[in-house]
Amino acid sequence: MAASLSRYLVEQQRAKQNIPPELRLLLEVVARACKGISHAVNKGALGGVLGSAHSENIQGEVQKKLDIIANEVLIEANEWGGHLAAMASEEMDTIYVVPNRYPQGEYLLLFDPLDGSSNIDVNVSIGTIFSVLKKPESSDKVTESDFLQPGRAQVAAGYCVYGPQTTLVLTVGDGVAMFTLDREQGSFVLTQENVRIPEDTREFAINMSNMRHWDKPVADYIAECLAGSSGPRGKDFNMRWVASMVADVHRILTRGGVFMYPWDKREPDKPGKLRLMYEANPMGWLVEQAGGMATNGNQRILDIQPTLLHQRVSVFLGSKNEVARVTAMHQTA
Ligand code: AHM
Ligand code: MG
């Protein structure tokens, strides 16, 4: 019988000692919350969950009802177990410290409860992204600055994509594993281990409507790809853009590709659209764990020292040789 997520976590701990019981509990709770979110997403109009919540998050983005529901599901599932000290979310201005009535654990959980919000109402894949850090030992009372650790300090990261299948993708620093939700059993079943991203690809993902706002290295790189077999690359490229990072990254983990959300001139003061702590860091680590590469054009994403919880970042990730190429083009620019 295929292994459940629980069995995978227990066996990983037995073999590698990399998933202590509190972390296992945390990951099982996150998976359970994702099951609940998957259920709400699946109900759609029948559950009355579509449409706008008529509120804004700290990034000034209008929240959808499901953004808020997913955020609440994750908080309620995680606050009482004793495994967490605090949580942070795209949908909350500041950190959520575990209330006094519950014991405090040593982990910090960050998430984008429902990534790809513009796709919720149109029935296109969306997902939950999460990142797990250890609370610094020096810290007594947990504060926002405890979260400001570079991505390489993550102890677990993953996402759950709500698409034709609901798939949970996880790393604890020992490769990437995928678990498909078996709705009859109500459990996540291990369906792929040792996920590897091909080093080369003929597929890129970028929002082409922003072309006129790009910086030169990005414009040059895409021009090369578009020139196809008669251009400098000597091969034709295909393009995909789901507008849900989870779905784009899931495709890249499955068959390769390069995903880009670069800085552009629309908001010159911001380093990009995507958020470092709960989007780029977990995705960057998953991609690296699968043999790919993730940079902001200048440096490895996981080496960026965060200064703000909701900090933004440029993102280039996926098949190693393409990410290396577009990154090198930034350096020679
Ligand atoms: P969100 O977290 O508010 O949903 O925004 C992040 C999403 C990513 O999933 C996706 O890659 C990107 O925004 C799409 O942006 P755009 O609509 O500019 O193409
Ligand atoms: Mg997001």
Side-chain angles (χ1 to χ4, degrees):
M1 205 178 90
S4 62
L5 174 68
S6 303
R7 180 168 175 178
Y8 172 86
L9 297 174
V10 167
E11 290 182 348
Q12 269 281 325
Q13 164 67 0
R14 209 172 278 155
K16 306 269 168 67
Q17 278 81 51
N18 56 355
I19 313 182
E22 275 204 1
L23 181 57
R24 188 178 86 217
L25 175 63
L26 189 167
L27 295 172
E28 299 219 42
V29 170
V30 168
R32 197 181 318 135
C34 289
K35 238 186 279 177
I37 298 169
S38 174
H39 191 69
V41 167
N42 274 240
K43 283 223 152 172
L46 297 177
V49 295
L50 301 184
S52 171
H54 304 291
S55 53
E56 280 189 3
N57 65 16
I58 193 167
Q59 351 259 344
E61 297 159 345
V62 176
Q63 294 171 305
K64 295 281 171 66
K65 282 185 199 161
L66 266 172
D67 285 324
I68 293 177
I69 293 169
N71 195 57
E72 279 167 5
V73 169
L74 279 156
I75 288 180
E76 280 168 21
N78 276 289
E79 65 179 355
W80 52 268
H83 50 285
L84 284 182
M87 295 178 246
S89 160
E90 178 175 326
E91 305 304 339
M92 298 188 295
D93 298 3
T94 170
I95 63 167
Y96 179 90
V97 179
V98 166
N100 283 335
R101 60 184 182 279
Y102 303 120
Q104 264 203 15
E106 55 182 342
Y107 291 101
L108 305 173
L109 175 65
L110 298 101
F111 45 83
D112 178 353
L114 213 52
D115 180 62
S117 302
S118 72
N119 282 324
I120 294 175
D121 293 347
V122 294
N123 203 355
V124 170
S125 297
I126 47 183
T128 299
I129 310 173
F130 62 93
S131 163
V132 184
L133 296 166
K134 260 297 209 20
K135 187 179 76 156
E137 272 166 22
S138 54
S139 159
D140 207 11
K141 198 171 163 288
V142 62
T143 63
E144 200 167 297
S145 64
D146 293 332
F147 284 77
L148 303 181
Q149 305 178 37
R152 61 172 186 273
Q154 293 171 104
V155 294
Y159 64 81
C160 187
V161 57
Y162 313 112
Q165 304 108 42
T166 288
T167 308
L168 182 79
V169 179
L170 177 69
T171 186
V172 289
D174 184 37
V176 176
M178 294 188 177
F179 304 84
T180 306
L181 180 60
D182 180 333
R183 288 188 192 280
E184 280 94 71
Q185 301 285 339
S187 66
F188 281 102
V189 177
L190 179 65
T191 41
Q192 208 187 332
E193 260 184 298
N194 304 319
V195 173
R196 300 303 293 169
I197 300 175
E199 290 188 355
D200 290 299
T201 181
R202 292 164 175 252
E203 205 160 63
F204 68 84
I206 194 165
N207 184 337
M208 291 289 288
S209 70
N210 297 324
M211 191 179 229
R212 68 190 184 286
H213 306 296
W214 293 339
D215 218 359
K216 190 169 180 318
V218 177
D220 288 350
Y221 173 75
I222 295 297
E224 271 188 11
C225 296
L226 294 177
S229 52
S230 56
R233 303 302 307 276
K235 60 181 184 180
D236 291 329
F237 280 78
N238 197 358
M239 193 197 87
R240 289 285 184 274
W241 183 252
V242 184
S244 289
M245 189 193 201
V246 268
D248 280 313
V249 169
H250 195 66
R251 183 187 61 255
I252 288 169
L253 283 169
T254 305
R255 68 175 189 216
V258 51
F259 170 95
M260 289 160 279
Y261 211 121
W263 170 92
D264 68 45
K265 291 173 196 134
R266 286 173 302 167
E267 292 185 290
D269 300 336
K270 292 186 183 152
K273 173 180 179 180
L274 299 177
R275 274 57 49 123
L276 174 64
M277 303 286 301
Y278 40 80
E279 292 180 324
N281 274 343
M283 293 312 207
W285 196 30
L286 284 164
V287 163
E288 283 195 4
Q289 283 290 313
M293 188 173 169
T295 77
N296 67 353
N298 290 304
Q299 70 177 124
R300 183 183 177 220
I301 291 212
L302 300 190
D303 284 338
I304 297 173
Q305 174 61 50
T307 53
L308 295 168
L309 189 61
H310 297 288
Q311 179 167 339
R312 291 167 189 258
V313 65
S314 285
V315 176
F316 302 86
L317 60 76
S319 290
K320 204 178 209 162
N321 292 338
E322 291 305 315
V323 178
R325 188 174 180 99
V326 68
T327 303
M329 289 172 83
H330 281 78
Q331 270 132 32
T332 53

